[in-house]
Amino acid sequence: MKYKIFKNKEQASKYVSDLIVKSITQKPNLNLGLATGSTPILTYDFLTQAFENENVDFKNVKTFNLDEYKDLKIENKNSYHFFMNKYLFSKVNININNTFFPKSNFNYDEFIQKNGGIDLQILGIGQNGHIGFNEPGSKKNSKTRIVDLTKSTIKANAKHFQDESEVPIQAYSMGLETIFKAKKIILLAFGNSKKEIIKELKKIDEFSENIPASILYEHKDVTIILDEEANSDL
Ligand code: PGA
């Protein structure tokens, strides 16, 4: 697992966007795993700029999102479908039929593998160490499934809702095994609020169910991208 530290989240996000652009240039039908949350927004902004200024072609790209709230209509402005349309899909020439999310009655894991697997997976990390919505206690071999959100996740995500009571208590999430199968993984963590979990992650060097992101130690191609605020060495 490699760490790359950038001065700020702008520089870090530009690096990630450039990497995605390079990957699409090398493989126009890239299978791209995407994350939601505040962390990847700047990356999506830079990708939009790359589409406008450098003619990056998303026509044959397929995207696979990590998660989606259960019991929230996809038109709801807090759904992850809405988020992705707002920040990326409506701004580039992606074919909306090539964008996928976990949902009920859909064997997402089999579907991803049938499509050739994920080439590049973008991840955020929760303050409790979750990736996707794989909360502490998630098993290493977990598949895409319905998960109960922890109190800390509901609290952290309440900022996007009018009231904490409106945050769904369950979600569909890719499993840890699903994420692990991606060929290349980039995890982003920005800001002071991520410093503590990055410190915890650095303390261990093998998988611990308490910190689901620690599964990444066993993967052969993972880069953790931090800004200076999230870098616990400082
Ligand atoms: P954030 O969420 O980007 O809004 O901090 C990350 C996550 O919970 O995975």
Side-chain angles (χ1 to χ4, degrees), residues 36-40 124-126 130 132 159-160 194:
T36 51
S38 27
T39 310
I125 184 169
H130 73 202
K159 59 178 183 278
H160 306 293
K194 300 293 165 71

Side-chain angles (χ1 to χ4, degrees), residues 17 34 48 51 56 64 78 117-118 135 141 148 158 174-175 178 186 225:
S17 168
L34 295 176
T48 302
F51 169 69
V56 186
F64 301 88
N78 284 307
I118 292 173
E135 302 285 36
N141 63 354
D148 295 326
M174 271 191 203
T178 324
I186 303 286
I225 307 277

